[in-house]
Amino acid sequence: MENQTPRLELTNVHKSFAKKPVVQGVSIELARGEIGCLLGPSGCGKTTLLRIIAGFEPIDGGQVILNGNCISSASILVPAEKRKLGMVFQDYALFPHLSVFENIAFGLGAQSRREQEKRVMELLEMVKLETAVRAYPHELSGGQQQRVALARALAPEPALLLLDEPFSNLDASLRDTLTVEVRDIIKATATTALMVTHNQFEAFSVADTIGVTFSGTIRQWDSAYNVYHHPADLEVATFVGDGAVIKGEVSGPDTLMCGLGELRGSFTLPCAKGCQVNLLVRPEDVLHDDSSPVQARIVHKSFRGPNILYKLELPSAETCLALVSSHHDHQLGERIGIVPDVENLVLFPA
Ligand code: ATP
């Protein structure tokens, strides 16, 4: 089936700059219509990976395959303009002297004027900017310019759409709506896409599959749900989402002793009795319960409207976070009872 055939496939890709490895053995696949996202801290190599796929950087080893054709290897570098890619950049990169119509029609040179008009209007309707067809980029807001940039990139029906930090220049509220719109538009056009961001919420809103990237390697290539709830290792766990890591010891066949008390649940213990573990405790898994024997002291609080994020000091002197309904408005220094939601704890061998 076509949907199952990978459109983009990277196999064991390596790249160094002046002998410094920046991409180290990256292997990922995107199926037709799938949206992937490389998520990682600054300097982890995600932009370099995007530039490799775009054809701006040669590679030292491995292969990049697009629609079954090798476009990059140690001996092959298909030029960027022959790769049939669409690109969306952080700074929109629209042609300032061209109107919205002309910007979007730019890549449609081979088509008749009539076909171009039809395609541009189709895309403008999709990005909800029909009325801006004659406007120039400087007359548009940042969000509108990014929509035009997306329409321009999609116009020639690219084999792959690459998006480099596309929401970084937008304010937070606009970002929330635009991420959802961008995903909907990419899905509506069944375009295969790869985005780069250091912002996990953008990755969660846009991607089908997230590649958590550290030091030039992809640690986990997985759904947002799995990256958050089943992180591959402790570094992924602490990079993605809020949470605390506390120490514990396996105290029986199905029990664990830690700063939250003795826990028994359906969690999978990573080792036998007596061994040390690290527990990832997400704020939403620490429940406020006055009757709990585990009392924790509030050392910080952050009001977030519907809830309050409390930073709590446990009897073990470790800290954890608890997301509690804001109706439970406690003071700094107060002690509150807490119970962990044991079904969702994530454990790693220490
Ligand atoms: P950011 O989010 O800050 O852009 P990134 O994850 O996208 O970071 P890259 O831009 O891919 O990271 O950079 C990875 C590493 O490669 C960095 O240490 C960077 O300094 C280095 N690097 C990138 N491009 C070059 C280059 N052309 N020459 C030398 N070193 C480079």
Side-chain angles (χ1 to χ4, degrees), residues 261-289:
E262 181 154 72
L263 312 181
R264 184 188 302 271
S266 62
F267 45 72
T268 311
L269 293 168
C271 46
K273 186 175 174 187
C275 87
Q276 306 297 308
V277 295
N278 287 314
L279 257 87
L280 169 68
V281 188
R282 297 282 190 208
E284 64 275 22
D285 295 333
V286 176
L287 312 176
H288 177 25
D289 178 353

Side-chain angles (χ1 to χ4, degrees), residues 251-328:
S251 52
D254 59 354
T255 54
L256 180 74
M257 187 55 106
C258 68
L260 292 162
E262 181 154 72
L263 312 181
R264 184 188 302 271
S266 62
F267 45 72
T268 311
L269 293 168
C271 46
K273 186 175 174 187
C275 87
Q276 306 297 308
V277 295
N278 287 314
L279 257 87
L280 169 68
V281 188
R282 297 282 190 208
E284 64 275 22
D285 295 333
V286 176
L287 312 176
H288 177 25
D289 178 353
D290 284 326
S291 64
S292 169
V294 182
Q295 299 281 312
R297 193 170 63 88
I298 298 171
V299 290
H300 191 268
K301 67 186 271 195
S302 161
F303 189 84
R304 299 191 165 187
N307 30 52
I308 296 175
L309 185 67
Y310 287 111
K311 184 173 184 185
L312 303 171
E313 187 183 76
L314 301 173
S316 62
E318 293 167 300
T319 55
C320 73
L321 298 171
L323 196 62
V324 174
S325 156
S326 59
H327 293 300
H328 298 273

